[in-house]
Amino acid sequence: DAGVIQSPRHEVTEMGQEVTLRCKPISGHNSLFWYRQTMMRGLELLIYFNNNVPIDDSGMPEDRFSAKMPNASFSTLKIQPSEPRDSAVYFCASSLGGGPDTQYFGPGTRLTVL
Amino acid sequence: ILNVEQSPQSLHVQEGDSTNFTCSFPSSNFYALHWYRWETAKSPEALFVMTLNGDEKKKGRISATLNTKEGYSYLYIKGSQPEDSATYLCAFTKNAGNMLTFGGGTRLMVKP
């Protein structure tokens, strides 16, 4: 199994540009999570999906952030327009979706907004 | 806001030392407590998921205990090795959900 796949691994962009991060969960997993890791706030949950439906997006910082999961094998996290304070590592994780599941994390995307 | 707190924030030990650190979490509406190991430049890797009060899990030299009534879990590493150097995260789930709230982590550095 390839595990959770994220792309790109690194992204450097200028303030005001649109950024799209991509995630492919582990095949057969029904839940998908987007996290952001910063020095100040640690690892925080942004949004999670169950069976492709957004369940809780209370962690999404503001309207500039949006996430979609058009099918069971693909999700995107978009930031438009990006700002320097969005610089962080963004992780995607997936789990089977039943019970107290282990979440399996992808390698992360390191985003730098200049 | 759920407060999941870990202590200490960082820890330096010598190779061969045994060590332990603490995760405290809200005891109400408890569902599960997770431990993850996170090496620099990698992604968090699951160690344990615990659900029952009094649970004890073991994986090699690493073990964990759980007290849901008082809201704490301990992670123990016996005979630390340099390759154990990592940040150890705990995460709490409440109410039969699968959303994790992470603590700030304990950064362990093992000197050879």
mmCIF file of all heavy atoms in Angstrom, chain A residues 31 33 35 37 43 45 48 56 91 97 99-103 105-106, chain B residues 31-32 34 36 38 42-44 46 49 51 89 97-100 102:
data_model
loop_
_atom_site.group_PDB
_atom_site.id
_atom_site.type_symbol
_atom_site.label_atom_id
_atom_site.label_comp_id
_atom_site.label_asym_id
_atom_site.label_seq_id
_atom_site.Cartn_x
_atom_site.Cartn_y
_atom_site.Cartn_z
ATOM 1 N N SER A 31 -12.583 8.057 5.957
ATOM 2 C CA SER A 31 -12.453 9.386 6.571
ATOM 3 C C SER A 31 -11.149 10.038 6.131
ATOM 4 O O SER A 31 -10.115 9.367 6.041
ATOM 5 C CB SER A 31 -12.466 9.282 8.102
ATOM 6 O OG SER A 31 -13.714 8.828 8.563
ATOM 7 N N PHE A 33 -8.761 13.727 6.654
ATOM 8 C CA PHE A 33 -8.543 14.869 7.542
ATOM 9 C C PHE A 33 -7.466 15.777 6.946
ATOM 10 O O PHE A 33 -6.470 15.284 6.416
ATOM 11 C CB PHE A 33 -8.063 14.388 8.913
ATOM 12 C CG PHE A 33 -8.935 13.348 9.546
ATOM 13 C CD1 PHE A 33 -8.838 12.016 9.178
ATOM 14 C CD2 PHE A 33 -9.859 13.698 10.515
ATOM 15 C CE1 PHE A 33 -9.641 11.043 9.753
ATOM 16 C CE2 PHE A 33 -10.672 12.733 11.107
ATOM 17 C CZ PHE A 33 -10.558 11.406 10.726
ATOM 18 N N TYR A 35 -4.845 18.745 8.252
ATOM 19 C CA TYR A 35 -4.251 19.387 9.415
ATOM 20 C C TYR A 35 -3.251 20.447 8.957
ATOM 21 O O TYR A 35 -2.673 20.367 7.878
ATOM 22 C CB TYR A 35 -3.473 18.382 10.272
ATOM 23 C CG TYR A 35 -4.302 17.355 10.989
ATOM 24 C CD1 TYR A 35 -4.606 16.131 10.402
ATOM 25 C CD2 TYR A 35 -4.759 17.592 12.282
ATOM 26 C CE1 TYR A 35 -5.348 15.176 11.079
ATOM 27 C CE2 TYR A 35 -5.500 16.639 12.964
ATOM 28 C CZ TYR A 35 -5.787 15.443 12.348
ATOM 29 O OH TYR A 35 -6.526 14.506 13.030
ATOM 30 N N GLN A 37 0.250 22.387 10.565
ATOM 31 C CA GLN A 37 1.228 22.371 11.651
ATOM 32 C C GLN A 37 2.050 23.647 11.616
ATOM 33 O O GLN A 37 2.692 23.956 10.611
ATOM 34 C CB GLN A 37 2.148 21.163 11.543
ATOM 35 C CG GLN A 37 3.016 20.960 12.768
ATOM 36 C CD GLN A 37 4.481 21.194 12.501
ATOM 37 O OE1 GLN A 37 4.937 21.109 11.373
ATOM 38 N NE2 GLN A 37 5.231 21.479 13.528
ATOM 39 N N LEU A 43 -0.168 21.032 15.887
ATOM 40 C CA LEU A 43 -0.919 20.322 14.848
ATOM 41 C C LEU A 43 -2.410 20.555 15.105
ATOM 42 O O LEU A 43 -2.952 20.128 16.117
ATOM 43 C CB LEU A 43 -0.577 18.840 14.937
ATOM 44 C CG LEU A 43 -0.925 17.918 13.794
ATOM 45 C CD1 LEU A 43 -0.271 18.374 12.507
ATOM 46 C CD2 LEU A 43 -0.482 16.499 14.122
ATOM 47 N N LEU A 45 -6.470 20.519 13.535
ATOM 48 C CA LEU A 45 -7.379 19.987 12.518
ATOM 49 C C LEU A 45 -8.093 21.140 11.820
ATOM 50 O O LEU A 45 -8.639 22.026 12.457
ATOM 51 C CB LEU A 45 -8.409 19.077 13.173
ATOM 52 C CG LEU A 45 -9.461 18.460 12.256
ATOM 53 C CD1 LEU A 45 -8.832 17.469 11.288
ATOM 54 C CD2 LEU A 45 -10.543 17.781 13.077
ATOM 55 N N TYR A 48 -12.605 17.760 8.349
ATOM 56 C CA TYR A 48 -12.570 16.346 8.024
ATOM 57 C C TYR A 48 -13.818 15.919 7.269
ATOM 58 O O TYR A 48 -14.887 16.509 7.409
ATOM 59 C CB TYR A 48 -12.267 15.486 9.247
ATOM 60 C CG TYR A 48 -13.427 14.907 10.015
ATOM 61 C CD1 TYR A 48 -13.925 13.647 9.666
ATOM 62 C CD2 TYR A 48 -13.971 15.556 11.102
ATOM 63 C CE1 TYR A 48 -14.951 13.082 10.388
ATOM 64 C CE2 TYR A 48 -14.999 14.991 11.827
ATOM 65 C CZ TYR A 48 -15.484 13.755 11.480
ATOM 66 O OH TYR A 48 -16.495 13.194 12.194
ATOM 67 N N ASP A 56 -16.958 18.340 9.678
ATOM 68 C CA ASP A 56 -16.635 19.429 10.595
ATOM 69 C C ASP A 56 -15.565 20.300 9.965
ATOM 70 O O ASP A 56 -14.469 19.814 9.694
ATOM 71 C CB ASP A 56 -16.148 18.864 11.938
ATOM 72 C CG ASP A 56 -16.066 19.928 13.012
ATOM 73 O OD1 ASP A 56 -15.489 21.001 12.767
ATOM 74 O OD2 ASP A 56 -16.574 19.674 14.127
ATOM 75 N N PHE A 91 -0.808 18.708 6.497
ATOM 76 C CA PHE A 91 -0.866 17.251 6.446
ATOM 77 C C PHE A 91 -2.279 16.794 6.098
ATOM 78 O O PHE A 91 -3.266 17.376 6.560
ATOM 79 C CB PHE A 91 -0.500 16.640 7.803
ATOM 80 C CG PHE A 91 0.958 16.706 8.136
ATOM 81 C CD1 PHE A 91 1.441 17.691 8.980
ATOM 82 C CD2 PHE A 91 1.846 15.761 7.632
ATOM 83 C CE1 PHE A 91 2.786 17.752 9.317
ATOM 84 C CE2 PHE A 91 3.194 15.811 7.953
ATOM 85 C CZ PHE A 91 3.666 16.811 8.798
ATOM 86 N N GLY A 97 -12.545 4.880 9.451
ATOM 87 C CA GLY A 97 -13.777 5.617 9.679
ATOM 88 C C GLY A 97 -14.741 4.972 10.649
ATOM 89 O O GLY A 97 -15.824 5.474 10.856
ATOM 90 N N GLY A 99 -15.107 3.503 14.680
ATOM 91 C CA GLY A 99 -14.462 3.302 15.968
ATOM 92 C C GLY A 99 -13.305 4.248 16.195
ATOM 93 O O GLY A 99 -13.116 5.204 15.450
ATOM 94 N N PRO A 100 -12.518 3.994 17.209
ATOM 95 C CA PRO A 100 -11.387 4.888 17.542
ATOM 96 C C PRO A 100 -10.217 4.608 16.627
ATOM 97 O O PRO A 100 -9.206 4.040 17.013
ATOM 98 C CB PRO A 100 -11.078 4.509 18.994
ATOM 99 C CG PRO A 100 -11.476 3.081 19.108
ATOM 100 C CD PRO A 100 -12.641 2.889 18.175
ATOM 101 N N ASP A 101 -10.345 5.034 15.387
ATOM 102 C CA ASP A 101 -9.394 4.643 14.357
ATOM 103 C C ASP A 101 -8.055 5.322 14.463
ATOM 104 O O ASP A 101 -7.949 6.498 14.786
ATOM 105 C CB ASP A 101 -9.930 5.015 12.981
ATOM 106 C CG ASP A 101 -11.018 4.105 12.535
ATOM 107 O OD1 ASP A 101 -11.049 2.953 12.978
ATOM 108 O OD2 ASP A 101 -11.829 4.571 11.714
ATOM 109 N N THR A 102 -7.028 4.587 14.070
ATOM 110 C CA THR A 102 -5.733 5.170 13.814
ATOM 111 C C THR A 102 -5.822 5.996 12.550
ATOM 112 O O THR A 102 -6.386 5.559 11.544
ATOM 113 C CB THR A 102 -4.679 4.076 13.637
ATOM 114 O OG1 THR A 102 -4.528 3.382 14.886
ATOM 115 C CG2 THR A 102 -3.340 4.654 13.231
ATOM 116 N N GLN A 103 -5.271 7.195 12.597
ATOM 117 C CA GLN A 103 -5.172 8.014 11.399
ATOM 118 C C GLN A 103 -3.762 7.863 10.824
ATOM 119 O O GLN A 103 -2.768 7.891 11.557
ATOM 120 C CB GLN A 103 -5.444 9.480 11.724
ATOM 121 C CG GLN A 103 -6.893 9.720 12.118
ATOM 122 C CD GLN A 103 -7.206 11.168 12.369
ATOM 123 O OE1 GLN A 103 -6.468 12.067 11.961
ATOM 124 N NE2 GLN A 103 -8.320 11.435 13.031
ATOM 125 N N PHE A 105 -0.988 9.371 8.380
ATOM 126 C CA PHE A 105 -0.645 10.678 7.842
ATOM 127 C C PHE A 105 0.174 10.582 6.557
ATOM 128 O O PHE A 105 1.018 9.688 6.398
ATOM 129 C CB PHE A 105 0.176 11.465 8.872
ATOM 130 C CG PHE A 105 -0.653 12.044 9.985
ATOM 131 C CD1 PHE A 105 -1.146 11.229 11.002
ATOM 132 C CD2 PHE A 105 -0.951 13.392 10.014
ATOM 133 C CE1 PHE A 105 -1.926 11.760 12.023
ATOM 134 C CE2 PHE A 105 -1.721 13.936 11.028
ATOM 135 C CZ PHE A 105 -2.208 13.121 12.034
ATOM 136 N N GLY A 106 -0.067 11.541 5.665
ATOM 137 C CA GLY A 106 0.769 11.706 4.498
ATOM 138 C C GLY A 106 2.053 12.435 4.855
ATOM 139 O O GLY A 106 2.241 12.838 6.000
ATOM 140 N N TYR B 31 -13.442 9.060 24.680
ATOM 141 C CA TYR B 31 -13.662 7.964 23.746
ATOM 142 C C TYR B 31 -12.376 7.193 23.482
ATOM 143 O O TYR B 31 -12.342 5.985 23.563
ATOM 144 C CB TYR B 31 -14.263 8.497 22.438
ATOM 145 C CG TYR B 31 -14.667 7.424 21.458
ATOM 146 C CD1 TYR B 31 -15.524 6.390 21.833
ATOM 147 C CD2 TYR B 31 -14.218 7.445 20.145
ATOM 148 C CE1 TYR B 31 -15.901 5.404 20.944
ATOM 149 C CE2 TYR B 31 -14.597 6.467 19.246
ATOM 150 C CZ TYR B 31 -15.434 5.449 19.644
ATOM 151 O OH TYR B 31 -15.807 4.481 18.750
ATOM 152 N N ALA B 32 -11.303 7.910 23.156
ATOM 153 C CA ALA B 32 -10.042 7.236 22.866
ATOM 154 C C ALA B 32 -8.863 8.184 23.062
ATOM 155 O O ALA B 32 -9.003 9.402 22.967
ATOM 156 C CB ALA B 32 -10.031 6.685 21.447
ATOM 157 N N HIS B 34 -4.821 8.510 21.737
ATOM 158 C CA HIS B 34 -3.857 8.024 20.758
ATOM 159 C C HIS B 34 -2.471 8.548 21.105
ATOM 160 O O HIS B 34 -2.337 9.690 21.572
ATOM 161 C CB HIS B 34 -4.198 8.548 19.358
ATOM 162 C CG HIS B 34 -5.570 8.222 18.870
ATOM 163 N ND1 HIS B 34 -5.790 7.431 17.753
ATOM 164 C CD2 HIS B 34 -6.791 8.570 19.317
ATOM 165 C CE1 HIS B 34 -7.099 7.334 17.557
ATOM 166 N NE2 HIS B 34 -7.726 8.014 18.483
ATOM 167 N N TYR B 36 1.279 9.120 19.123
ATOM 168 C CA TYR B 36 1.972 9.127 17.851
ATOM 169 C C TYR B 36 3.444 9.462 18.085
ATOM 170 O O TYR B 36 3.786 10.220 19.001
ATOM 171 C CB TYR B 36 1.393 10.201 16.901
ATOM 172 C CG TYR B 36 0.097 9.809 16.241
ATOM 173 C CD1 TYR B 36 -1.118 9.922 16.907
ATOM 174 C CD2 TYR B 36 0.080 9.316 14.938
ATOM 175 C CE1 TYR B 36 -2.312 9.566 16.292
ATOM 176 C CE2 TYR B 36 -1.107 8.963 14.315
ATOM 177 C CZ TYR B 36 -2.287 9.087 15.004
ATOM 178 O OH TYR B 36 -3.468 8.725 14.393
ATOM 179 N N TRP B 38 6.681 11.200 16.077
ATOM 180 C CA TRP B 38 6.883 12.088 14.948
ATOM 181 C C TRP B 38 8.339 12.458 14.852
ATOM 182 O O TRP B 38 8.856 13.272 15.631
ATOM 183 C CB TRP B 38 6.035 13.342 15.142
ATOM 184 C CG TRP B 38 5.885 14.201 13.943
ATOM 185 C CD1 TRP B 38 6.410 14.008 12.695
ATOM 186 C CD2 TRP B 38 5.155 15.423 13.867
ATOM 187 N NE1 TRP B 38 6.028 15.010 11.864
ATOM 188 C CE2 TRP B 38 5.255 15.892 12.545
ATOM 189 C CE3 TRP B 38 4.409 16.152 14.782
ATOM 190 C CZ2 TRP B 38 4.638 17.061 12.123
ATOM 191 C CZ3 TRP B 38 3.799 17.315 14.362
ATOM 192 C CH2 TRP B 38 3.915 17.768 13.057
ATOM 193 N N LYS B 42 9.510 13.937 8.909
ATOM 194 C CA LYS B 42 8.623 12.838 8.517
ATOM 195 C C LYS B 42 7.207 13.167 8.975
ATOM 196 O O LYS B 42 6.940 14.264 9.458
ATOM 197 C CB LYS B 42 9.107 11.528 9.151
ATOM 198 C CG LYS B 42 10.466 11.079 8.623
ATOM 199 C CD LYS B 42 10.802 9.698 9.137
ATOM 200 C CE LYS B 42 12.133 9.230 8.564
ATOM 201 N NZ LYS B 42 12.501 7.877 9.060
ATOM 202 N N SER B 43 6.300 12.219 8.806
ATOM 203 C CA SER B 43 4.920 12.449 9.241
ATOM 204 C C SER B 43 4.642 11.647 10.511
ATOM 205 O O SER B 43 5.333 10.657 10.783
ATOM 206 C CB SER B 43 3.941 12.071 8.133
ATOM 207 O OG SER B 43 4.212 10.799 7.640
ATOM 208 N N PRO B 44 3.659 12.065 11.303
ATOM 209 C CA PRO B 44 3.352 11.336 12.538
ATOM 210 C C PRO B 44 2.997 9.881 12.247
ATOM 211 O O PRO B 44 2.279 9.578 11.303
ATOM 212 C CB PRO B 44 2.148 12.098 13.101
ATOM 213 C CG PRO B 44 2.251 13.468 12.514
ATOM 214 C CD PRO B 44 2.822 13.274 11.150
ATOM 215 N N ALA B 46 1.513 6.297 14.028
ATOM 216 C CA ALA B 46 0.735 5.830 15.178
ATOM 217 C C ALA B 46 1.509 4.814 16.004
ATOM 218 O O ALA B 46 2.149 3.907 15.469
ATOM 219 C CB ALA B 46 -0.571 5.216 14.691
ATOM 220 N N VAL B 49 -3.502 3.102 20.272
ATOM 221 C CA VAL B 49 -4.834 3.654 20.502
ATOM 222 C C VAL B 49 -5.374 2.953 21.733
ATOM 223 O O VAL B 49 -5.367 1.718 21.794
ATOM 224 C CB VAL B 49 -5.790 3.380 19.324
ATOM 225 C CG1 VAL B 49 -7.159 3.991 19.618
ATOM 226 C CG2 VAL B 49 -5.241 3.934 18.039
ATOM 227 N N THR B 51 -8.567 2.770 24.713
ATOM 228 C CA THR B 51 -9.954 3.171 24.947
ATOM 229 C C THR B 51 -10.451 2.872 26.349
ATOM 230 O O THR B 51 -11.376 3.523 26.822
ATOM 231 C CB THR B 51 -10.895 2.467 23.949
ATOM 232 O OG1 THR B 51 -10.708 1.050 24.074
ATOM 233 C CG2 THR B 51 -10.598 2.873 22.520
ATOM 234 N N LEU B 89 3.528 12.635 20.400
ATOM 235 C CA LEU B 89 2.262 13.363 20.473
ATOM 236 C C LEU B 89 1.182 12.476 21.047
ATOM 237 O O LEU B 89 1.098 11.299 20.694
ATOM 238 C CB LEU B 89 1.801 13.773 19.070
ATOM 239 C CG LEU B 89 2.614 14.791 18.287
ATOM 240 C CD1 LEU B 89 2.139 14.821 16.841
ATOM 241 C CD2 LEU B 89 2.467 16.163 18.897
ATOM 242 N N GLY B 97 -16.452 9.978 18.369
ATOM 243 C CA GLY B 97 -16.119 10.596 17.096
ATOM 244 C C GLY B 97 -14.751 10.135 16.626
ATOM 245 O O GLY B 97 -14.113 9.300 17.258
ATOM 246 N N ASN B 98 -14.306 10.663 15.495
ATOM 247 C CA ASN B 98 -12.954 10.350 15.069
ATOM 248 C C ASN B 98 -12.111 11.592 14.812
ATOM 249 O O ASN B 98 -11.104 11.533 14.121
ATOM 250 C CB ASN B 98 -12.958 9.414 13.854
ATOM 251 C CG ASN B 98 -13.788 9.962 12.715
ATOM 252 O OD1 ASN B 98 -14.309 11.063 12.792
ATOM 253 N ND2 ASN B 98 -13.922 9.206 11.647
ATOM 254 N N MET B 99 -12.506 12.714 15.427
ATOM 255 C CA MET B 99 -11.674 13.914 15.362
ATOM 256 C C MET B 99 -10.653 13.869 16.477
ATOM 257 O O MET B 99 -11.009 13.651 17.635
ATOM 258 C CB MET B 99 -12.549 15.162 15.532
ATOM 259 C CG MET B 99 -13.432 15.450 14.340
ATOM 260 S SD MET B 99 -14.580 16.793 14.666
ATOM 261 C CE MET B 99 -13.466 18.112 15.106
ATOM 262 N N LEU B 100 -9.398 14.070 16.114
ATOM 263 C CA LEU B 100 -8.327 14.071 17.098
ATOM 264 C C LEU B 100 -7.984 15.500 17.498
ATOM 265 O O LEU B 100 -7.847 16.366 16.641
ATOM 266 C CB LEU B 100 -7.069 13.422 16.524
ATOM 267 C CG LEU B 100 -7.136 11.959 16.128
ATOM 268 C CD1 LEU B 100 -5.780 11.496 15.621
ATOM 269 C CD2 LEU B 100 -7.591 11.108 17.294
ATOM 270 N N PHE B 102 -4.870 17.231 19.291
ATOM 271 C CA PHE B 102 -3.511 16.889 19.659
ATOM 272 C C PHE B 102 -2.984 17.774 20.778
ATOM 273 O O PHE B 102 -3.313 18.960 20.872
ATOM 274 C CB PHE B 102 -2.580 17.052 18.453
ATOM 275 C CG PHE B 102 -2.648 15.912 17.475
ATOM 276 C CD1 PHE B 102 -3.578 15.917 16.441
ATOM 277 C CD2 PHE B 102 -1.794 14.833 17.595
ATOM 278 C CE1 PHE B 102 -3.651 14.861 15.556
ATOM 279 C CE2 PHE B 102 -1.853 13.773 16.701
ATOM 280 C CZ PHE B 102 -2.786 13.786 15.685
#
